Amino acid sequence: MPRFAAGAGLRLLAVFLITCMSALIHAVGEAAALGQIIFWRSAVALLPIVLYMMLCGDFPGALRTRRPGSHALRSLFGAFSMGCSFLSLIYLPVANASALGYLAPVLTLPLAALLLGERLTGRLLLAVAAGFAGAMAFLWEALEAPGSGALIGLCAGLAYALTMAVMRVHVKKLTQTESAAAIAFYFAVTCTALGLASLPFGWAALAPWQLAALAGAGVLGGLAHIAATEAIARAPVSAVAPFDFTGLIWAAAIDVLIFRHLPGLWGAAGMALILFAAVLALRGPMPSRRPAV
């Protein structure tokens, strides 16, 4: 149970950091090119990742790996997922883009049960169902009046949710032999290279505050990636999945306080359901793993 509590706390921290990062991406999304955003988000993220490894005494030793192919697959797939996430944030409000992303925990459950052998408790299933219902209620406003470019944002958000569900199971397997910092490092290096490769296709000239926002997104993203990977290493994927829904509360607050986007009745109902899901997840026991046959 102490490892589960640590995993839950790290996941909650990761969700908060990711939501703040998303707000920065949304603020500069219309001005910057997608490849430019990916580059800054990934290149700057290397700083906290390397510092984390140095503090743990694992640099550069932790970078040695017996599974380079798995790292490459995770990084390339993750880069595609990141691009979809940023497209969703460019065309949708932060809370609505987040709502689409929170479909990932729901899609993660059958994958975790099928590929990792994790047993799903009734309380956990109820928590995820409530969180899913809350995300859908909050998303309903965007579906009713999508606005300019919202269809692109909706499709990108759905693609992000699907790819993230697959990635979480893959990362869980990686953590059995690889450190969280190494996984984050190789992912950041790959995305930095892919983002830089988009330079010939045109990067925008950004104001100093926009460059600072992209750099801040990189720092927050690096910290969030470490926290999220450490959370998965300490607790079953299906156990920490429901905690993702709490990020929707932070996203709604950012939309109201910073971007002056007010949620309606459906949004309020969605937040209530998500809070209910979080309470269930916090009170529920850690799901067990099926015995080997």
Side-chain angles (χ1 to χ4, degrees), residues 111-251:
L111 290 173
L114 179 64
L115 301 179
L116 301 179
E118 294 181 4
R119 190 186 304 276
L120 306 179
T121 66
R123 183 185 289 272
L124 181 60
L125 289 173
L126 178 60
V128 175
F132 174 76
M136 289 297 95
F138 206 66
L139 183 61
W140 186 254
E141 292 173 345
L143 295 176
E144 283 186 320
S148 176
L151 181 59
I152 298 175
L154 290 171
C155 292
L158 288 171
Y160 167 69
L162 179 60
T163 53
M164 276 302 298
V166 177
M167 284 313 308
R168 284 179 184 170
V169 175
H170 184 66
V171 168
K172 179 63 177 180
K173 290 184 176 181
L174 265 179
T175 58
Q176 295 173 359
T177 59
E178 310 294 306
S179 70
I183 295 171
F185 178 85
Y186 289 119
F187 172 68
V189 168
T190 301
C191 290
T192 298
L194 292 174
L196 187 60
S198 70
L199 180 59
F201 299 98
W203 281 10
L206 301 178
W209 75 266
Q210 291 171 323
L211 291 173
L214 288 178
V219 172
L220 292 173
L223 294 174
H225 194 97
I226 292 171
T229 307
E230 289 284 1
I232 292 176
R234 286 166 169 75
V237 172
S238 55
V240 297
F243 293 103
D244 285 22
F245 295 119
T246 61
L248 201 51
I249 309 301
W250 296 114

Side-chain angles (χ1 to χ4, degrees), residues 3-293:
R3 284 182 61 84
F4 171 68
L10 285 166
R11 189 63 210 176
L12 287 170
L13 174 62
V15 169
F16 174 73
L17 294 173
I18 289 172
T19 306
C20 293
M21 180 203 74
S22 299
L24 293 176
I25 297 297
H26 179 78
V28 301
E30 292 186 358
L34 179 60
Q36 190 175 11
I37 298 173
I38 292 175
F39 170 81
W40 278 94
R41 154 65 178 86
S42 305
V44 179
L46 285 169
L47 178 61
I49 292 171
V50 171
L51 287 176
Y52 173 76
M53 286 191 288
M54 292 176 66
L55 288 173
C56 295
D58 294 333
F59 185 81
L63 299 182
R64 289 193 293 268
T65 177
R66 293 172 292 172
R67 305 172 65 182
S70 295
H71 278 289
L73 179 63
R74 182 267 179 273
S75 298
L76 290 173
F77 210 68
F80 175 78
S81 181
M82 177 188 288
C84 291
S85 172
F86 291 171
L87 273 178
S88 181
L89 286 166
I90 289 171
Y91 290 106
L92 294 175
V94 177
N96 290 330
S98 298
L100 280 169
Y102 294 140
L103 290 174
V106 179
L107 299 174
T108 298
L109 285 173
L111 290 173
L114 179 64
L115 301 179
L116 301 179
E118 294 181 4
R119 190 186 304 276
L120 306 179
T121 66
R123 183 185 289 272
L124 181 60
L125 289 173
L126 178 60
V128 175
F132 174 76
M136 289 297 95
F138 206 66
L139 183 61
W140 186 254
E141 292 173 345
L143 295 176
E144 283 186 320
S148 176
L151 181 59
I152 298 175
L154 290 171
C155 292
L158 288 171
Y160 167 69
L162 179 60
T163 53
M164 276 302 298
V166 177
M167 284 313 308
R168 284 179 184 170
V169 175
H170 184 66
V171 168
K172 179 63 177 180
K173 290 184 176 181
L174 265 179
T175 58
Q176 295 173 359
T177 59
E178 310 294 306
S179 70
I183 295 171
F185 178 85
Y186 289 119
F187 172 68
V189 168
T190 301
C191 290
T192 298
L194 292 174
L196 187 60
S198 70
L199 180 59
F201 299 98
W203 281 10
L206 301 178
W209 75 266
Q210 291 171 323
L211 291 173
L214 288 178
V219 172
L220 292 173
L223 294 174
H225 194 97
I226 292 171
T229 307
E230 289 284 1
I232 292 176
R234 286 166 169 75
V237 172
S238 55
V240 297
F243 293 103
D244 285 22
F245 295 119
T246 61
L248 201 51
I249 309 301
W250 296 114
I254 288 172
D255 270 342
V256 172
L257 297 176
I258 298 178
F259 299 112
R260 304 298 187 225
H261 177 81
L262 297 173
L265 181 61
W266 282 106
M271 284 187 284
L273 284 168
I274 289 165
L275 285 173
F276 174 67
V279 171
L280 281 179
L282 283 168
R283 291 172 59 88
M286 182 175 66
S288 59
R289 186 179 297 272
R290 293 194 188 97
V293 178

